Amino acid sequence: MATSTFKTLFKLLGGDQTLKLKDFPLDNLRIDSRKVKENDAFVAIKGSSVNGRKFIPEAISAGAVVILIETHKKSNDLKIDYLKKDNQLVIPQINVFQLSQRLSEIANDFYHSPSKKLSVIGVTGTNGKTTITQLIAQCTTLLNDKTAILGTIGNGIYNHLEPSINTTASAIDVQSLLADFVKKNVKVVAMEISSHGLAMNRVKGLNCAATVFTNLSRDHLDYHKTMSKYAQAKWSLFNPDEKEKHVSNSGKSIINYDDKYGKRWIEKLSQVTAVSCQPKFLRRLKALNTPYVGVSMIEYHDKGAKIHMESTWGNAIINSRLLGEFNVSNILLAIATLLTLDYPFFAVINMASFLKPICGRMEVIHSNNNPTVIVDYAHTPDALQKALQASRIHCKGSLWVIFGCGGDRDTGKRPLMAEIAEQFADRVVLTNDNPRTEDEMNIIHDIQQGFHNNKEIQVITDRAQAITQTLAKAKPNDVILIAGKGHEDYQIIGKTKYHYSDQETVKQLLGIESQL
């Protein structure tokens, strides 16, 4: 069944309805020519590295019946040219003024505002997005709500995800995926929203039931250039100023009070729930004129934590199976989101104790008489520090860390990662982590600038060998944190993506399956 028609598309673009245009069905908008099928409209915009106009012939050959291109001249807006197919001028090409900025809203209208028919929960922040969306999906699924996820690990119905390329999909793919979820009777969508996604207007047509802020620390400065611009991109998800909004509706806000940016943002928002995992802040939370979720005490142990929670909705004890203080924060933010959306208090609390660790997020692999291995996605200074601090709680011997830094990305964080590793680990091994087109030794050299005692640092660029040699040296009471890749099952060297998995490497060496 067609999603729309050519005349309908032209109308939602603002086109003149008195024009005599031939009408025909349209099934989908496509921004990737490789996904184009019969009766699709192909959107050819200029990306960060490739100009979509280059692929117009390919899209027409695949069956595209309409082409949208961007014009920077307002006078050319909605001008229609015709392109050849089978030597006939039959494919309308519409010039659209500021197409890139408008694309999310255009796609939203084309797919009949799917986010208004779903309970979309948008999660943003430097760290924790994947864990929180997964925890929300686990909980709502246990509560019998059909739930989907859009994010780093994949897109789709919970537990049936298709791999994703970006944390936040393109403006068109977001709306297309949401429309598909509506057809499949999904009720809840837990969605990661990256700073890139916000800055590039990928979610401008989105209606959220709730938006969540986790934390903000150094990352992506290769793109945003300054922390101020990075913070502004995140804030745009919540900003109540209509002129500055980066979503159609941000819904109710759930904000981490423990983050310095979060503290400031809570004061600017009206419909907001404040969340803290710091017992010292409980009194302040109670004094706020807003709903809150906090803790009076946290008891950490080898298998997780016992959380003494207090909130506007009631008090409870939660037995968490996730490691580390930052995961207490993630759990509380997930719980606060569901409570803010009027899920029953006791049902949410009962489900919370069943929540399982997330793939590649403080994922424990252990067997008798071998070191405990923890695989985590930590690839920022703040995330690495928190992962090491969490690992230390469960370490009775030496704490090892194996990490690297991505090539063609923010170089300024590399020595900061070294400082953190040296401060919080006993033994450090540097290795590759998606060097891409950079020389691997240049990346290692950048990291080494942050160490005060390079003699204690081992360099093994081959990641599998780094893990192999570390496991051979470590003792049974030691803990080895392998940081940076988490769920990723590839290594990018040059422009080639090779299959590689930290988990598979460890399991093969130890001959075991992952367990808690």
Side-chain angles (χ1 to χ4, degrees), residues 34 46 96 124 132 194 219 272 325 334 346 365 415 445 449 464 511:
R34 293 167 296 185
K46 188 175 182 180
V96 184
T124 198
I132 290 170
S194 67
D219 200 12
V272 60
E325 180 181 84
F346 289 109
I365 306 175
H445 180 263
Q449 301 311 300

Side-chain angles (χ1 to χ4, degrees), residues 222 404-415 431-447 461 491-496 498:
D222 54 306
C405 288
D408 304 329
R409 298 293 186 269
D410 179 9
T411 58
K413 74 177 182 182
R414 293 172 184 174
T431 191
N432 282 346
D433 183 350
N434 296 335
R436 299 185 177 87
T437 62
E438 272 196 79
D439 183 277
E440 62 186 25
M441 292 312 299
N442 286 344
I443 298 171
I444 296 292
H445 180 263
D446 285 347
I447 298 171
T461 55
Q491 182 81 289
I492 304 174
I493 301 173
K495 294 185 177 180
T496 304
Y498 299 93

